[in-house]
Amino acid sequence: MIGGETMFISLKGTIKTEAIFSEDKEHRYLLRKEWDKKKKKAMVIMKIPSDAGELILDLTSMLVVNNLVRLDYGSVDILNLYSNINGKSFSEMDTDKENIKVNDSYIEKSASEAETIVLAWGSGCSTSKKATERQQTVLELLGEHKGKLVVIEDKKGRTGFHPLSPQVRESWKLKELYEENK
C-alpha cells in the first residue's frame, strides 16, 4: 500500500486462434491456440471436435488451454481422431475416407511441430471396434514421434483421461505413454 491506497496490477494477454474447417463447416481439422510463442508447443488429440473455432469457445478447449498454461506451454494444436463436428457414429465416420485422409495430414504436420503430444481421447472409444482401430491407425501415424507421446494422469496415478473428466479438469499431470522413453 502506498499512502493508504491498495496497489493493483493490470495483466493482459492475447490468445491467437486459428481454426481450419472444411468448406461446409461440417469438419474441423485443426484448432490452434497460441499465447506465448517463446514457450513449448503441445498437440492434444481427442475423439471428435465441437464447433469451437476462431471465436466460438467450448469447455473442452478452455480446459486444455488452462491446463497447458499451468504446465508452462505457450501454444496448442487441438486435433481429433475424426474431423466430423459433433458427428455420427464411429462406424459412419470411419467410412469417410477423404476427410480421414485430410485429418491425418493435419495430425502428421502438427506432430512434427509439437514438443509434446497428449493422447486425450479418453475411454469413450473402447466400446467401438472402429474407434479402437482408428486409435491404432493414429498411433501408427505418430510412430516416429513415440518419444513425445503422453497421457493425462490423475492424482491417483490412473491414466487415459479426456480433458472433460472431472478427475483432471483442474490439474493435469502428463505421463509418458512408453516407459522406455525415460
Side-chain angles (χ1 to χ4, degrees):
M1 294 212 300
I2 297 177
E5 294 182 30
T6 303
M7 296 287 295
F8 296 97
I9 60 170
S10 174
L11 302 174
K12 296 180 182 183
T14 301
I15 296 179
K16 289 178 19 181
T17 302
E18 176 184 9
I20 299 177
F21 290 93
S22 61
E23 198 171 327
D24 62 9
K25 288 198 111 186
E26 294 205 7
H27 297 267
R28 189 184 78 205
Y29 304 108
L30 172 71
L31 181 59
R32 176 172 289 147
K33 304 263 185 194
E34 180 185 86
W35 52 95
D36 189 339
K37 64 183 174 187
K38 292 180 232 129
K39 292 184 178 182
K40 58 191 175 182
K41 181 178 192 172
M43 171 185 179
V44 176
I45 305 175
M46 292 176 277
K47 293 180 280 196
I48 56 172
S50 70
D51 64 348
E54 73 285 8
L55 297 174
I56 302 292
L57 303 173
D58 71 347
L59 180 58
T60 305
S61 57
M62 182 194 76
L63 292 170
V64 167
V65 170
N66 288 351
N67 278 293
L68 290 172
V69 166
R70 289 181 191 113
L71 292 170
D72 206 32
Y73 284 83
S75 61
V76 63
D77 283 356
I78 298 173
L79 298 104
N80 294 278
L81 293 172
Y82 295 99
S83 62
N84 304 68
I85 294 172
N86 295 325
K88 313 162 185 174
S89 71
F90 290 124
S91 294
E92 286 178 278
M93 289 187 288
D94 208 59
T95 62
D96 191 354
K97 299 301 181 197
E98 186 57 36
N99 278 303
I100 287 175
K101 184 177 173 184
V102 173
N103 198 50
D104 286 352
S105 70
Y106 281 99
I107 288 172
E108 289 176 309
K109 184 175 185 327
S110 181
S112 67
E113 298 170 353
E115 277 109 313
T116 305
I117 301 169
V118 183
L119 304 179
W121 47 59
S123 61
C125 296
S126 62
T127 58
S128 166
K129 183 180 180 209
K130 290 291 184 189
T132 302
E133 289 170 0
R134 178 73 181 131
Q135 287 173 318
Q136 282 307 122
T137 301
V138 169
L139 286 171
E140 289 168 16
L141 275 177
L142 298 172
E144 70 182 83
H145 306 288
K146 211 175 185 180
K148 300 179 186 181
L149 300 179
V150 299
V151 291
I152 303 169
E153 182 179 53
D154 72 1
K155 292 176 182 172
K156 296 180 181 178
R158 297 174 298 183
T159 61
F161 290 96
H162 183 278
L164 286 174
S165 297
Q167 302 92 320
V168 297
R169 281 186 180 205
E170 301 302 319
S171 177
W172 286 8
K173 180 179 177 190
L174 300 178
K175 181 178 181 179
E176 290 181 10
L177 185 62
Y178 298 104
E179 292 297 325
E180 67 265 17
N181 295 330
K182 290 186 176 183

